[in-house]
Amino acid sequence: MGLTKKLLLASAAVLIAVSAQAQNMPKKIGYVTNYATHEWYQNVIKGMQAHGKELGIEVEVQDANLDIAKQVAAAEDFIAKGVDVLIITPVNEEGVVPLLRQAKSANIPVVLEGNPVKGMTTMVAICDYDTGYHSGVAAGKYAKEKLGGVAKVMNVGLPLLSATVLRSKGFMDGIKTEIPDAVMVHDLDGGGNPDRALEVSSAALAKNADINIIYGINDSSSLGGLQAWKAAGKPQDGLLTVGTGGEGLAFINAIEKEPSYRIEAAMFPEKEGFTAIDAAVKLFNGEEVPQHIVSPTAPMIGDEWKKFYDYDGKTRTIKWDAVNALEAPAKCMKTSADLKN
């Protein structure tokens, strides 16, 4: 190695060390997730804990299990313990508002993950509308090539959260850029879980099975819809299934085994957890951060998931270089504020 290259490498190492020393690290971060048994949140937690370990930060996790009362109690417990920063994935948006006031009174910064809450300082989340929109564009192109240019959609949605409503709206807007007369035949509340998604999809298909695209606002929703289709004895040729999340192993298995499951709007939960820790460190140091720190997404068609993940049959491992190379939009095309208009 030449002297010049050695000097450059040494200078870079010094700069990295100085940068790390410039930020004080919180000793403990408390994360209250809304549903820790879900693959998405398990991988968010993995990203948080891995990055926390790199930075020497203890990350303690409590699970609300979709119960706002449990979420409030867990957050209040963290506040009483005096954690340095609180991260919350809201069970519902209104129920978290009082927690923001309590944390502010205790001088504890709060990072929200996934969904906005009135009075928040910052949120780490994808652009939900954009994610749906780009997967809709990909679905429209697929339908033009494989489905005769016809798009009859069963949306397995979740109207409880603005984020998931935006995904569904984005998907339909995106698909209409390719197929202007695309229609939503069924607009369902799948509850975001496979059992509910299967139940409502089965009922909808029993009334009207004239669809050729299943869109789910998360992987449980798309897979529940597809399971209902298969349970009705219908073939998958002439059908497209589109998932959202890339939450864990379920979507990889579906893409590998189900002929209709061709598009996945990947949201990279490990990256979101990593970014939430970075945001927590910045708030701890009193730095200004955007109200919405955007985490990247990408529509993956067929085996394009292999660009971003390794999978050995049991465990998937994120390819950080590939995911970090994705550019998140500076501004979302639409946000929850647009739903009020």
Side-chain angles (χ1 to χ4, degrees):
M1 184 184 293
L3 179 60
T4 301
K5 190 171 183 180
K6 286 181 178 179
L7 289 172
L8 287 172
L9 289 173
S11 298
V14 170
L15 285 171
I16 292 170
V18 170
S19 176
Q21 291 173 2
Q23 283 189 315
N24 294 316
M25 292 297 161
K27 292 181 179 178
K28 188 170 185 177
I29 294 173
Y31 174 43
V32 186
T33 184
N34 65 347
Y35 194 32
T37 58
H38 197 289
E39 280 188 308
W40 165 266
Y41 298 108
Q42 289 172 3
N43 282 311
V44 168
I45 291 166
K46 285 180 183 178
M48 285 184 181
Q49 292 180 331
H51 195 32
K53 186 176 181 180
E54 290 174 348
L55 300 176
I57 302 168
E58 180 186 354
V59 179
E60 183 179 339
V61 179
Q62 292 198 40
D63 180 20
N65 196 27
L66 297 179
D67 184 333
I68 187 60
K70 287 183 178 180
Q71 183 154 69
V72 169
E76 289 177 341
D77 181 53
F78 277 138
I79 292 170
K81 289 178 179 176
V83 296
D84 296 302
V85 186
L86 192 60
I87 302 174
I88 301 174
T89 298
V91 169
N92 70 55
E93 293 157 19
E94 291 184 4
V96 173
V97 173
L99 292 174
L100 299 185
R101 292 195 290 264
Q102 291 181 51
K104 186 176 182 180
S105 296
N107 201 30
I108 296 174
V110 178
V111 176
L112 295 178
E113 185 277 327
N115 290 290
V117 171
K118 184 178 179 180
M120 69 182 185
T121 300
T122 192
M123 167 185 70
V124 175
I126 64 166
C127 284
D128 290 283
Y129 178 88
D130 303 42
T131 301
Y133 180 89
H134 292 302
S135 62
V137 172
K141 291 178 178 177
Y142 183 96
K144 283 190 349 187
E145 181 181 350
K146 305 285 189 180
L147 304 179
V150 176
K152 298 179 180 180
V153 179
M154 180 170 75
N155 173 55
V156 190
L158 180 59
L160 175 67
L161 298 175
S162 60
T164 45
V165 171
L166 283 165
R167 291 175 203 172
S168 296
K169 287 185 176 295
F171 182 80
M172 290 307 300
D173 287 350
I175 203 168
K176 286 180 180 179
T177 64
E178 297 291 330
I179 304 176
D181 60 353
V183 294
M184 186 186 290
V185 177
H186 296 298
D187 188 9
L188 309 177
D189 180 0
N193 69 76
D195 293 338
R196 173 69 177 166
L198 171 61
E199 178 186 354
V200 299
S201 298
S202 297
L205 292 172
K207 291 180 180 179
N208 182 0
D210 187 19
I211 67 160
N212 64 350
I213 297 174
I214 297 170
Y215 173 69
I217 52 82
N218 64 3
D219 291 340
S220 295
S221 301
S222 55
L223 290 168
L226 178 56
Q227 187 179 352
W229 180 268
K230 292 167 64 178
K234 298 185 178 299
Q236 292 191 53
D237 53 316
L239 177 72
L240 169 64
T241 304
V242 182
T244 308
E247 299 153 349
L249 300 180
F251 90 94
I252 294 176
N253 291 327
I255 285 178
E256 293 296 292
K257 296 175 182 177
E258 302 290 356
S260 71
Y261 206 111
R262 304 317 305 149
I263 300 173
E264 179 73 17
M267 291 162 39
F268 309 110
E270 301 94 335
K271 173 71 171 177
E272 189 145 326
F274 185 103
T275 305
I277 295 298
D278 278 344
V281 171
K282 288 179 179 179
L283 287 184
F284 181 73
N285 282 276
E287 297 179 34
E288 288 192 15
V289 296
Q291 191 174 51
H292 182 182
I293 301 171
V294 179
S295 194
T297 62
M300 300 187 296
I301 301 169
D303 65 359
E304 288 180 352
W305 65 268
K306 294 177 182 177
K307 295 179 183 178
F308 303 104
Y309 287 102
D310 285 320
Y311 178 47
D312 63 5
K314 292 183 179 179
T315 305
R316 77 174 195 179
T317 306
I318 192 169
K319 296 181 179 179
W320 282 110
D321 287 346
V323 174
N324 287 334
L326 294 170
E327 289 190 18
K331 184 179 179 181
C332 299
M333 296 166 68
K334 290 186 179 181
T335 68
S336 58
D338 294 291
L339 297 175
K340 300 173 184 177
N341 298 332

